[in-house]
Amino acid sequence: MKGLKLAISILMITMLFGCNASSEDGKSNDADGKKVTISYASWGLGTEKEQNIERLMIKAFEEKYSNIEIKLVESIPNDKWNDGLAAAASANEMPDVFMLSEIPPGVANDWLLDLSKLSADDADLAKVPEAVRKAATYGDTLFALPAGQQFLGYYVNKDMFNDANLDAPESGANINEFVDSVKRITNISKGKVGINNPMAILDWYPAAVSKTLGWYTYTEEGYHLDSTEFKEGQKIAKDIVTNDYAYESLTEEQKSNFDGSNAGEVWASGNMGVIWDGTWALTAFEENLDFDYDFIGIPGGRTVVANDYMGISKNTKHPKEAYIFSKWMSFGKEGYLKRIDIAAEKGKVLNGVPVTTDQDVLDAYFELQDLPGVRSSFDNLDNAIIEPVKAVPGYVQSRWEAPTGVSISEQPNANIHSLLEASIKGEIKLEDYLSQINNLANAKYVEAKKAIE
């Protein structure tokens, strides 16, 4: 059946690709057609030996655009991406095109080309959801291009619930149904647990129950961590942890009942009811899991979207060619159909979901990816929650890294994340520190916002 499906997919994609040929003629926009080299840095390239989809996409691009050569820059460390870009900028070796772990530092450091004119009449970019384009626009200037899209949420082990004669949580389940499922599937003595870690509830809960609050209570005015919604989410997460429904908070003795030494291994062994992850996990799940699973997003049914972005260097000598390449690798219709074509031909699962709303692309994509929950998430994109880490100034500090001056456990100056985590474990009372955390989060937001104005 899978073989037939794959064959149909390849045929359909080939037809789509043929019927939607690019208006480009295989050369860049340079009138003289001279050979142009574009340097490119990305954390998704894998190794030369692996020849993943990203590398195959680059080869396909070079075949189509015979006068544009792509030079891979692999010296930037994936775990210190911003530092690596800063070092490249200091050495006047900034790649022409590069992935962005965060957009604001690129704006503040004057790394990024103003893309407003290059993209002004791009019909493909117009098919990217407005919220995604807006997130890369500061003032009236577009500084980055949408390079990919992921959905965040929970995956459910349907077999585990069926074996226990319990109803598995589905897309759109309300918060009470979801929490009840996590609790009922847990049986520590038999090596069964409900969830990996409930910390994500702090992020999604406010937006799931409020029409005005966003992820981690963010709005354009700042954070609202002293809100009733944030307190309610913290209370639910604390209940899950302190009553032993989450694997990562169990004692070592309790963990000895499980197959696996970490949450990922316990999930893969089929003994965890739901796990928090993103659609980037689809490839690994498809290749390694031997139980029936689905993606169910977050309770309430709103889709959580995390976007990747890429920038073009302000100092590039070939802005048009850099734009053509960026589009091919990201939001462009022709490029994404080619990406699906490659995945079908190689029998690979696509990493992430299309960032375009183009119907031909979506039809081809869902010929390969048939998880009901992923389709449901697409259907609910009009009411999506945008994870702000890539685009909101100072978010990393406001959510995780800003030191609070509070001493907990062995940390004399715990950061915001550690303080929130301690409150969920019952080590501190959240109400004693919430006003302080809220003020600090907003101060970091304002500070970073001023740096790019």
Side-chain angles (χ1 to χ4, degrees):
M1 189 68 181
K2 284 188 175 180
L4 177 60
K5 183 176 181 181
L6 183 60
I8 293 172
S9 300
I10 295 172
L11 177 61
M12 179 181 178
I13 294 161
T14 302
M15 292 174 64
L16 285 170
F17 194 74
C19 293
N20 292 282
S22 171
S23 59
E24 304 290 345
D25 61 2
K27 294 183 179 181
S28 75
N29 288 357
D30 269 2
D32 55 14
K34 291 182 178 179
K35 193 78 172 181
V36 168
T37 298
I38 299 296
S39 54
Y40 176 52
S42 169
W43 52 69
L45 294 171
T47 65
E48 175 66 25
K49 182 178 180 181
E50 290 171 344
Q51 285 298 295
N52 66 11
I53 291 180
E54 299 306 305
R55 288 181 183 259
L56 294 175
M57 281 289 291
I58 292 170
K59 288 185 177 181
F61 176 84
E62 290 179 321
E63 290 173 2
K64 178 173 178 56
Y65 296 93
S66 57
N67 68 313
I68 305 178
E69 177 184 3
I70 305 303
K71 176 184 177 183
L72 300 183
V73 177
E74 301 183 77
S75 57
I76 298 174
N78 288 0
D79 59 341
K80 295 183 178 180
W81 196 257
N82 280 345
D83 292 342
L85 288 178
S90 297
N92 200 28
E93 296 178 351
M94 183 66 86
D96 293 293
V97 179
F98 48 93
M99 294 296 294
L100 288 161
S101 58
E102 300 169 73
I103 303 174
V107 177
N109 292 314
D110 204 25
W111 295 338
L112 299 171
L113 181 69
D114 179 351
L115 303 173
S116 304
K117 290 183 179 179
L118 279 172
S119 64
D121 299 318
D122 192 334
D124 281 354
L125 188 60
K127 292 182 180 180
V128 173
E130 182 181 3
V132 178
R133 289 180 276 125
K134 184 178 178 181
T137 303
Y138 297 82
D140 295 324
T141 304
L142 179 68
F143 280 110
L145 298 172
Q149 182 165 262
Q150 305 286 351
F151 295 156
L152 302 181
Y154 295 100
Y155 289 86
V156 58
N157 181 335
K158 297 172 67 175
D159 284 351
M160 185 175 171
F161 281 90
N162 289 336
D163 291 345
N165 293 317
L166 296 172
D167 292 331
E170 299 178 345
S171 297
N174 66 46
I175 182 64
N176 291 330
E177 292 170 341
F178 177 80
V179 173
D180 184 60
S181 296
V182 167
K183 292 180 176 181
R184 293 179 68 191
I185 199 64
T186 298
N187 190 328
I188 302 301
S189 63
K190 293 185 178 180
K192 310 289 183 182
V193 71
I195 195 170
N196 57 325
N197 186 320
M199 282 294 291
I201 294 175
L202 298 181
D203 298 315
W204 61 255
Y205 184 88
V209 299
S210 169
K211 294 182 179 180
T212 57
L213 297 177
W215 183 265
Y216 187 56
T217 75
Y218 173 76
T219 68
E220 290 188 2
E221 291 75 37
Y223 299 95
H224 309 271
L225 302 176
D226 53 357
S227 63
T228 299
E229 291 85 352
F230 189 78
K231 295 174 185 176
E232 289 175 349
Q234 187 270 349
K235 184 178 179 181
I236 292 171
K238 181 180 178 181
D239 176 54
I240 290 174
V241 165
T242 56
N243 288 291
D244 296 336
Y245 299 119
Y247 174 81
E248 291 181 7
S249 57
L250 299 178
T251 66
E252 292 303 315
E253 182 179 354
Q254 289 172 318
K255 289 179 179 179
S256 67
N257 294 314
F258 292 84
D259 293 330
S261 58
N262 57 58
E265 291 180 358
V266 173
W267 163 256
S269 72
N271 294 303
M272 182 179 292
V274 300
I275 189 170
W276 177 264
D277 216 319
T279 46
W280 53 72
L282 287 170
T283 300
F285 287 178
E286 179 69 17
E287 293 174 352
N288 299 305
L289 300 184
D290 58 5
F291 54 81
D292 189 18
Y293 65 92
D294 195 8
F295 178 78
I296 61 172
I298 66 170
R302 294 189 70 183
T303 302
V304 180
V305 176
N307 292 112
D308 285 326
Y309 292 91
M310 64 173 63
I312 296 176
S313 171
K314 190 174 185 178
N315 296 322
T316 183
K317 296 179 180 178
H318 309 289
K320 292 181 180 179
E321 288 79 9
Y323 186 87
I324 291 171
F325 172 66
S326 300
K327 176 176 174 176
W328 171 272
M329 295 297 292
S330 55
F331 64 88
K333 177 176 182 175
E334 184 180 15
Y336 209 93
L337 286 173
K338 184 62 176 178
R339 182 179 293 271
I340 296 172
D341 189 18
I342 291 172
E345 180 183 350
K346 301 295 182 180
K348 295 180 179 290
V349 178
L350 288 167
N351 183 346
V353 296
V355 73
T356 179
T357 59
D358 183 271
Q359 194 59 51
D360 289 341
V361 171
L362 296 182
D363 288 344
Y365 173 81
F366 282 113
E367 282 294 311
L368 291 183
Q369 177 51 262
D370 59 357
L371 280 184
V374 174
R375 188 65 189 244
S376 178
S377 295
F378 260 104
D379 291 341
N380 292 325
L381 270 177
D382 288 343
N383 193 30
I385 304 165
I386 305 296
E387 190 219 27
V389 63
K390 296 288 197 331
V392 172
Y395 181 78
V396 172
Q397 287 288 318
S398 298
R399 175 59 183 88
W400 293 293
E401 295 182 356
T404 64
V406 177
S407 176
I408 57 170
S409 188
E410 298 179 358
Q411 302 180 61
N413 188 9
N415 61 25
I416 287 179
H417 176 76
S418 295
L419 211 58
L420 293 173
E421 188 173 42
S423 78
I424 286 177
K425 292 179 179 178
E427 296 173 355
I428 63 170
K429 292 182 178 180
L430 180 65
E431 55 267 28
D432 292 343
Y433 302 98
L434 197 51
S435 177
Q436 177 182 345
I437 294 173
N438 189 57
N439 291 338
L440 178 59
N442 280 296
K444 292 300 179 182
Y445 170 60
V446 170
E447 178 184 317
K449 192 176 180 182
K450 287 182 177 178
I452 63 174
E453 290 177 345

